């Protein structure tokens, strides 16, 4: 896990890239003036907001992150069709349940990303991260954490946990190298 | 053909808004009402985008973006209030 | 040609939005109600905004890609608002229906 960026003037490269793209999208043009303004904003805003933000792990493997993003997008579409069928089907047959998934990730940022993908993908909504203390300082020993999720139609608990760990958590561990 | 399809989708979004209003009125608990409001603002974005399309203007895009941002912030603020009894501690 | 693409995307979007709201009304308890709006409505909006993107790109001069911003924003924020809502529901100890498995997994909050 790496917390510091390479250059001091570019504290979070992906935020800068995102700001650059969003500015061009908002103006809907790629004229020279807008590109210059976008570059200025993409450098100044992360520098100005640096003191307010806690240090987050950087994405170390961008290629893998992009592939994981495509996989998640594909899963969102298939899972939505499944959920739509479940919703329109008979309600009496559904057996909802709460499942506790043990987490290997330790830092708050990868856990947030994992919880968001779990919420968006197969009939599950992430509910809670146990134990409660939210912020980990760097010298603190990382403790084991659990993610509580609510499942719309629970069939096989162990299979669901394995799917989440293999399909969504393992790539995240590799992307952030933690 | 596009006009007919737009009318059908207008009707669909309208029916969903009515369903949300029903859930908003019936409740039974406060989080249910927040969920109904959250769905309602997303559906109203859909309605605004559709209206912009039928008018053939992109002017409504900014309004839709603003509704999306303010709706998210207000949902989180109300939930935070329910959780802690205070928004900024 | 483009008219067909726009129509199909619009219909898919409308269907998903409707399904999300039906789930909001139909399901018996809060935790199950949450599944409809967080997933179906988000994908419905993404599909509808893609339709708007194609529509404005073909009818007006130049490409129009700023609609992606709204769908991106909704995709990012839907899980977070869902998380906040289910957190407040657990805090208020809302009832789940009887056949819910694993209620013991919920820990008491501080």
């Amino acid at each position: 896990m790496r917390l510091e960026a390479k250059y001091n003037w570019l504290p979070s490269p992906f935020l800068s890239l995102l700001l650059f793209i969003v500015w061009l999208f908002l103006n809907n043009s790629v004229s020279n003036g807008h590109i210059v303004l976008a570059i200025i904003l993409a450098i100044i805003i992360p520098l100005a907001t640096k003191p307010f933000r806690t240090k987050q792990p950087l994405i170390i493997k961008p290629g893998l992150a992009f592939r994981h993003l495509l996989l998640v997008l594909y899963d969102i579409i298939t899972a939505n069709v499944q959920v739509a069928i479940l919703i329109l089907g008979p309600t009496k047959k559904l057996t909802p349940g709460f499942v506790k998934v043990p987490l290997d990730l330790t830092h708050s940022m990868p856990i947030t990303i994992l919880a968001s993908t779990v919420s968006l993908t197969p009939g599950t909504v992430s509910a809670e991260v146990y134990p409660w203390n939210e912020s980990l300082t760097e010298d603190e020993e990382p403790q084991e954490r659990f993610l509580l999720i609510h499942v719309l139609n629970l069939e096989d608990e162990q299979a669901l946990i394995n799917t989440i760990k293999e399909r969504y958590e393992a790539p995240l561990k590799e992307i952030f190298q933690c | 053909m596009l006009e007919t399809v737009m009318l059908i989708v207008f009707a669909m979004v309208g029916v969903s808004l009515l369903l949300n209003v029903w859930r908003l009125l019936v409740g039974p608990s406060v989080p249910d009402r927040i969920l109904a409001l959250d769905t309602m603002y997303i559906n109203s974005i859909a309605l605004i985008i559709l209206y912009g399309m039928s008018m053939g203007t992109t002017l409504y895009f900014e309004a839709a973006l603003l509704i999306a941002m303010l709706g998210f912030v207000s949902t989180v603020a109300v939930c935070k209030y329910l959780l802690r009894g205070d928004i900024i501690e | 040609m483009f008219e067909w693409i726009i129509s199909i995307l619009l219909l898919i979007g409308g269907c998903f939005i409707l399904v999300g709201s039906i789930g909001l009304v139909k399901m018996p308890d809060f935790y199950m109600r949450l599944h409809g709006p967080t997933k179906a409505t988000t994908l419905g909006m993404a599909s509808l905004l893609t339709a708007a993107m194609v529509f404005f790109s073909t009818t007006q001069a130049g490409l129009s890609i700023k609609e992606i911003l709204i769908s991106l924003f909704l995709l990012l924020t839907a899980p977070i608002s869902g998380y906040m809502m289910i957190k407040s529901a657990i805090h208020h100890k809302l009832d789940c229906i009887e056949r819910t498995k694993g209620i013991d997994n919920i820990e008491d909050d501080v």
Side-chain angles (χ1 to χ4, degrees):
Chain A
M1 186 170 7
R2 220 174 71 214
L3 293 173
E4 288 285 348
K6 245 181 226 166
Y7 310 106
N8 265 335
W9 53 273
L10 202 64
S12 46
F14 285 91
L15 179 66
S16 303
L17 188 68
L18 191 72
L19 281 171
F20 182 75
I21 293 173
V22 164
W23 183 258
L24 290 186
F25 270 22
L26 264 179
N27 288 296
N28 210 6
S29 76
V30 279
S31 64
N32 292 335
H34 279 307
I35 289 179
V36 170
L37 200 53
I39 290 173
I40 293 173
L41 285 176
I43 292 173
I44 286 181
I45 292 177
L47 276 180
T49 54
K50 194 183 168 192
F52 308 117
R53 296 188 294 136
T54 51
K55 274 181 191 158
Q56 301 297 351
L58 293 172
I59 297 172
I60 296 182
K61 295 194 167 170
L64 195 70
F66 187 67
R67 257 184 34 220
H68 186 61
L69 185 74
L70 288 185
L71 176 95
V72 169
L73 278 181
Y74 172 75
D75 276 7
I76 286 173
I77 294 171
T78 51
N80 269 291
V81 177
Q82 282 172 18
V83 169
I85 292 168
L86 281 181
I87 286 176
L88 291 178
T91 319
K92 290 225 167 71
K93 276 186 190 164
L94 298 176
T95 49
F98 285 97
V99 180
K100 235 177 181 179
V101 184
L103 291 175
D104 293 333
L105 303 169
T106 47
H107 213 277
S108 55
M109 169 89 162
I111 291 180
T112 312
I113 296 177
L114 179 70
S116 300
T117 42
V118 163
S119 283
L120 276 176
T121 43
T124 49
V125 171
S126 52
E128 205 78 78
V129 180
Y130 295 128
W132 279 81
N133 52 339
E134 282 164 16
S135 55
L136 272 180
T137 50
E138 275 157 53
D139 49 334
E140 206 174 328
E141 188 75 13
Q143 52 189 141
E144 196 180 18
R145 293 182 156 196
F146 294 93
L147 184 68
L148 181 73
I149 58 179
H150 181 263
V151 192
L152 187 56
N153 193 10
L154 183 61
E155 277 157 2
D156 188 353
E157 192 176 329
Q158 198 54 47
L160 179 76
I161 293 176
N162 287 341
T163 318
I164 289 176
K165 285 194 86 72
E166 279 162 23
R167 204 174 167 85
Y168 305 119
E169 194 182 6
L172 277 181
K173 272 189 79 153
E174 210 168 320
I175 289 168
F176 288 101
Q177 300 278 323
C178 59
Chain B
M1 189 184 76
L2 204 55
E3 280 81 29
T4 332
V5 171
M6 270 186 196
L7 272 183
I8 295 171
V9 181
F10 261 123
M12 281 173 162
V13 179
V15 170
S16 351
L17 274 169
L18 279 181
L19 291 174
N20 296 339
V21 170
W22 190 80
R23 176 52 72 199
L24 185 67
L25 291 178
V26 169
S29 61
V30 186
D32 276 306
R33 288 167 213 258
I34 303 174
L35 181 59
L37 272 177
D38 187 69
T39 320
M40 233 170 134
Y41 87 75
I42 297 180
N43 287 351
S44 54
I45 298 170
L47 209 59
I48 287 175
I49 293 283
L50 273 172
Y51 186 69
M53 277 171 82
S54 69
M55 292 284 123
T57 164
T58 50
L59 271 179
Y60 294 97
F61 165 81
E62 272 78 16
L65 195 63
L66 277 179
I67 290 180
M69 288 176 168
L70 286 178
F72 167 68
V73 171
S74 52
T75 305
V76 171
V78 178
C79 285
K80 189 90 188 159
Y81 179 71
L82 276 189
L83 271 173
R84 298 286 197 182
D86 210 346
I87 296 174
I88 301 167
E89 294 170 41
Chain C
M1 175 60 200
F2 281 117
E3 202 167 310
W4 277 96
I5 298 175
I6 297 167
S7 310
I8 290 169
L9 281 172
L10 272 181
L11 279 177
I12 292 174
C15 284
F16 271 112
I17 288 175
L18 193 58
V19 163
S21 298
I22 287 174
L24 182 70
V25 169
K26 196 183 157 199
M27 291 296 166
D29 69 348
F30 175 79
Y31 304 99
M32 292 169 81
R33 267 174 225 142
L34 196 60
H35 286 270
T38 49
K39 291 190 201 68
T41 309
T42 313
L43 189 71
M45 280 307 293
S47 163
L48 211 143
L49 287 161
T50 318
M53 210 169 81
V54 178
F55 178 81
F56 287 124
S57 299
T58 50
T59 53
Q60 294 185 345
L63 221 58
S64 167
I65 42 173
K66 54 186 179 182
E67 277 81 8
I68 286 184
L69 280 181
I70 299 183
S71 27
L72 204 72
F73 188 78
L74 285 179
L75 271 179
L76 282 179
T77 54
I80 297 170
S81 50
Y83 173 74
M84 290 302 288
M85 278 186 275
I86 201 168
K87 225 169 139 73
S88 62
I90 286 176
H91 182 77
H92 280 242
K93 297 193 174 60
L94 291 192
D95 299 328
C96 357
I97 52 169
E98 278 171 23
R99 55 178 186 274
T100 307
K101 293 178 195 167
I103 300 181
D104 327 327
N105 282 335
I106 305 176
E107 289 173 20
D108 286 335
D109 46 12
V110 276

